[in-house]
Amino acid sequence: MDIVALPALLEGWPGPGLTLDGQGQPLALNAGARQLADRHDGWLIELGRWAASGGPLSEPHRSVPVETGSGPGVVEFTTVLLSDGGVLCLGREVTLERRLRHALTESRQRYKDLVDISSDFAWEVGPDGRFVFVSAAGAIGYHPDDLIGRHPSEFVLGDFADQPLPFDTAVGIERTEVWLRAKDGEAACLISSAVPLVGPQGDWIGARGACRDITEARVKGMELAQVRLREKYLGYIVSSTRDDVDPGKTLEIAVGVAVNATGAGGARLYARTGDAFAEAAAQLAMAPDIVEAIPPFLEQVAEQAEPITASVNGYRLLATRTLFRHEVNGAILVWRGDGLDWSEDDFSMIQAIADQVGVAVAQARYQERLKTLSERDGLTGLYNRRTFMELLESRLDKQTGGGSALLYFDLDNFKAVNDKLGHGAGDDVLRAVGELLGTLARPSDLCGRLGGDEFVLWIDRVDEAQSVAVADRLLREAAEFLRPLSASPEKPLGVSVGVAVYRGGSGELAQGLVDRGDQGMYAAKRMGKGHRALSPAFTAD
């Protein structure tokens, strides 16, 4: 080599370069070599020893460790013997190249090891979409030879047939779930990552990927989700039973939960009294053509400890009984018209709901009894004084025009019944008056017992003539209905009636109206028993 041109060669070299004498001592270093030497000169010493020992004669390439700006590295020097016995060393940093080579070698081995030991599988499909490679462990119970040449779609479960599959993907995908039918016929959930294979012309020639079987984890996850969902739904019912003062609201929540939890088309909740079921709450109207089938079906439900199903005119019914203190007190029923059958989860859910609803039905009945006891007279079933006055006040507030009337009456010769026949016979008379008013009053009217043998009848939306006609009818029917219960023919039972006409918007209060009716009743008494009299008209002070 031309020794004269050597300095220019060193300075023009893009990597580290230097010359050494025959004893391995450095003579000249270019900028790259000086930069490395400034950081650490161990490489320079190692290279000098190697050159002094005659290394360049047997091995023209030498790699030495160096310190680079980004950390430890490797420089590979190519050596040339000079005419004066020295050595020219031209270096090239190969740190990245070696790292990549090492990573590639390591990744190939790692991939091979993982594929060989994995219980899951790697796969590849060809241009026709059929398996051309399956890893040694096989997949979903099949040996690799059982899968090679077959199309993945043969194993896809029907419910998932319309979903994109990793086996025919045209783009790279990660962690896509696919459900396949395993060799034993069971469903298997696989999570797959895949990349498409593209030919020289950019056309799809297959796909390659790896799958991991997560069936057990997915099933456990679904079971846990089902448990949590059940707890959530039942929590609605339990909290409503505990916190809601309106039992009817609890029952409405229960049927709503039944619909949502089972995916039903609708639901009905029934309360049982004796052997008869009566609807207590419903969500969505039931098809008319299945209503007639419900009563006999509920009779079967009451006899079965487990939920039962039935098919009626294309609808699928599912029902189970509700219990309270080991007695059947109702039933909950759901239905669907989509032709789908009920699953085991549906059976489990409807039973869990029924376990809670039994308490809610019992509570609703208890609340109804309390309400009845607080509002009704225990002997006649009519409104008691307090409730009647509250309802009457509400009616007066709402009526801004027109007329209505209050009939206030008591029994003639009632004392004789108690004195001669006893108070039991007197109670029979009072109950009979309750029955009489039940037949005489319209749904919009109000009937009450104010106490003793004093009764009131509010006749909604009538004028004076109409109210008098009702009073006359009451006189006739009371005399006929009560006569058999009289103490004696000489003292026949009957009523004396005071008629107080109310003018809407007059400002008269409920107690004032009742007092006017009472005055009219006493006026009728003075006329003789079995009469009626109009009360004085209301005048504002």
Side-chain angles (χ1 to χ4, degrees):
M1 174 174 286
D2 187 354
I3 301 297
V4 178
L6 189 58
L9 175 64
L10 283 177
E11 292 303 323
W13 183 252
L18 70 158
T19 57
L20 303 172
D21 62 17
Q23 285 71 44
Q25 296 299 315
L27 296 175
L29 285 75
N30 70 359
R34 289 194 297 271
Q35 190 176 31
L36 288 177
D38 289 342
R39 295 194 186 100
H40 181 64
D41 62 357
W43 66 273
L44 186 58
I45 297 173
E46 179 183 339
L47 190 62
R49 289 173 180 171
W50 173 75
S53 65
L57 293 173
S58 59
E59 184 182 357
H61 301 286
R62 178 70 173 182
S63 296
V64 294
V66 298
E67 286 293 330
T68 68
S70 59
V74 176
V75 173
E76 183 179 77
F77 285 96
T78 299
T79 59
V80 178
L81 293 176
L82 301 175
S83 59
D84 61 358
V87 179
L88 172 65
C89 301
L90 300 177
R92 180 172 65 91
E93 187 174 345
V94 293
T95 305
L96 179 60
E97 179 181 327
R98 289 199 172 193
R99 288 176 180 173
L100 290 175
R101 186 184 303 118
H102 176 74
L104 179 60
T105 302
E106 187 179 62
S107 65
R108 286 175 176 172
Q109 184 61 43
R110 183 184 298 117
Y111 175 76
K112 181 178 183 302
D113 291 343
L114 290 175
V115 169
D116 289 343
I117 67 175
S118 175
S119 59
D120 306 320
F121 76 107
W123 52 268
E124 183 176 330
V125 297
D128 59 357
R130 300 177 181 274
F131 286 118
V132 295
F133 167 77
V134 174
S135 55
I140 56 176
Y142 290 96
H143 187 273
D145 294 341
D146 297 329
L147 297 175
I148 301 298
R150 299 180 67 177
H151 201 283
S153 61
E154 298 179 34
F155 308 96
V156 177
L157 290 176
D159 293 342
F160 302 92
D162 296 333
Q163 297 183 4
L165 299 176
F167 309 106
D168 56 13
T169 184
V171 296
I173 59 172
E174 292 186 2
R175 302 181 62 81
T176 296
E177 286 189 13
V178 58
W179 284 85
L180 305 179
R181 181 175 289 105
K183 189 173 182 179
D184 60 5
E186 297 295 323
C189 183
L190 306 179
I191 187 166
S192 180
S193 296
V195 293
L197 302 178
V198 181
Q201 305 302 320
D203 53 325
W204 188 88
I205 60 172
R208 181 182 297 148
C211 293
R212 181 163 57 89
D213 192 329
I214 60 169
T215 306
E216 183 177 356
R218 181 61 67 238
V219 170
K220 287 182 178 179
M222 290 189 294
E223 290 175 350
L224 181 59
Q226 184 70 15
V227 169
R228 289 176 176 171
L229 184 62
R230 178 181 304 177
E231 290 176 350
K232 176 182 177 182
Y233 281 135
L234 297 183
Y236 291 150
I237 301 175
V238 172
S239 61
S240 177
T241 303
R242 182 185 64 242
D243 303 332
D244 207 314
V245 296
D246 181 7
K249 184 68 173 178
T250 297
L251 302 183
E252 290 177 4
I253 290 175
V255 295
V257 166
V259 169
N260 293 330
T262 61
R268 280 190 175 185
L269 178 63
Y270 297 86
R272 188 189 194 199
T273 303
D275 293 331
F277 286 89
E279 183 180 313
Q283 186 177 74
L284 304 180
M286 180 176 285
D289 53 355
I290 64 174
V291 171
E292 295 181 358
I294 298 304
F297 180 54
L298 293 180
E299 293 176 6
Q300 299 177 43
V301 170
E303 301 300 323
Q304 302 294 324
E306 302 295 330
I308 65 173
T309 63
S311 295
V312 179
N313 296 329
Y315 290 89
R316 294 291 295 162
L317 311 183
L318 170 63
T320 191
R321 65 189 186 181
T322 65
L323 300 175
F324 183 70
R325 294 178 179 174
H326 308 293
E327 293 185 0
V328 179
N329 69 345
I332 186 162
L333 178 145
V334 293
W335 71 89
R336 57 168 44 135
D338 51 17
L340 297 177
D341 209 345
W342 302 102
S343 67
E344 291 184 7
D345 287 340
D346 295 331
F347 275 72
S348 177
M349 183 63 76
I350 200 70
Q351 184 64 66
I353 293 172
D355 291 342
Q356 301 298 327
V357 169
V359 177
V361 170
Q363 180 174 311
R365 286 181 170 176
Y366 179 71
Q367 292 287 354
E368 289 174 0
R369 286 195 294 269
L370 287 180
K371 184 178 180 181
T372 298
L373 289 173
S374 67
E375 293 182 347
R376 299 282 179 170
D377 173 57
L379 191 62
T380 64
L382 303 175
Y383 287 119
N384 57 29
R385 173 186 285 272
R386 177 185 59 80
T387 305
F388 180 84
M389 296 300 293
E390 291 175 354
L391 294 175
L392 179 61
E393 193 71 59
S394 176
R395 294 293 182 93
L396 300 186
D397 289 341
K398 292 177 181 178
Q399 186 169 337
T400 57
S404 295
L406 178 78
L407 272 56
Y408 189 114
F409 66 94
D410 73 354
L411 299 178
D412 298 330
N413 297 317
F414 178 65
K415 184 175 182 301
V417 174
N418 283 328
D419 292 344
K420 185 175 182 179
L421 303 179
H423 289 284
D427 289 347
D428 291 339
V429 173
L430 296 176
R431 278 190 285 267
V433 175
E435 294 177 15
L436 175 63
L437 287 179
T439 61
L440 187 67
R442 303 168 303 176
S444 60
D445 298 337
L446 299 174
C447 305
R449 179 188 177 197
L450 300 185
D453 63 336
E454 295 182 343
F455 297 85
V456 282
L457 171 62
W458 165 261
I459 313 171
D460 203 34
R461 300 294 177 177
V462 292
D463 57 24
E464 181 178 303
Q466 291 170 324
S467 61
V468 169
V470 174
D472 289 339
R473 179 185 170 192
L474 174 60
L475 291 174
R476 293 192 304 272
E477 295 189 9
E480 180 179 352
F481 194 69
L482 300 177
R483 186 178 296 114
L485 303 177
S486 301
S488 66
E490 294 78 20
K491 293 187 176 292
L493 285 168
V495 296
S496 295
V497 184
V499 181
V501 176
Y502 174 76
R503 305 297 178 188
S506 64
E508 184 176 13
L509 300 179
Q511 187 59 56
L513 179 61
V514 170
D515 290 342
R516 284 201 301 119
D518 188 27
Q519 294 173 21
M521 184 270 292
Y522 277 107
K525 289 280 189 184
R526 290 191 293 271
M527 297 168 59
K529 295 178 180 180
H531 288 78
R532 48 92 177 155
L534 277 171
S535 301
F538 169 74
T539 56
D541 294 336

